[in-house]
Amino acid sequence: QVQLVESGGGLVQAGGSLRLSCVASGRAFGTYNMGWFRQAPGKEREFVAAISRSGGSTHYADSLKGRFTISRDNAKNTVYLQLSGPKSEDTAVYYCAASAFVMGTERSLYHSWGQGTQVTVSA
């Protein structure tokens, strides 16, 4: 397992932008595929984006239409999620997660999770 700590959440105006960060513990960060999920009040946790070990491959939820960008810096043990033009429906708790095997969209593929960071989008 690996310890993950998210940061960067907060209040953002619709049409603005923000960047979430997730820092991993240990020396094996480069062996993990990483993902971002989110959970809005009253809804199930849903997939947002994923990135491969070296950052060479990425995958996004179809419904997000390019408003999210995932990236990573293995030298800093950090994965990022950039939100561009956030909408009110993007209000949620955002979680990062690690998978030692494959990059994917299902929660069951990820063995380690952060505590989450709250993103609130104002009108």
Side-chain angles (χ1 to χ4, degrees), residues 32-113:
Y32 302 132
N33 303 283
M34 298 297 298
W36 284 96
F37 293 76
R38 70 183 186 183
Q39 187 166 20
K43 295 187 176 181
E44 299 293 323
R45 191 171 301 186
E46 65 175 342
F47 171 78
V48 176
I51 189 167
S52 61
R53 296 177 178 89
S54 65
S57 297
T58 58
H59 182 68
Y60 299 91
D62 292 340
S63 62
L64 299 183
K65 300 183 183 300
R67 296 188 296 107
F68 292 79
T69 302
I70 189 171
S71 61
R72 68 190 297 163
D73 186 341
N74 287 355
K76 296 182 178 180
N77 269 31
T78 303
V79 62
Y80 305 95
L81 184 69
Q82 181 76 33
L83 285 69
S84 179
K87 304 176 181 178
S88 60
E89 56 261 41
D90 295 324
T91 294
V93 177
Y94 285 74
Y95 300 88
C96 67
S99 171
F101 295 98
V102 297
M103 182 177 68
T105 64
E106 297 184 358
R107 289 172 290 175
S108 61
L109 296 175
Y110 295 85
H111 52 79
S112 299
W113 294 81

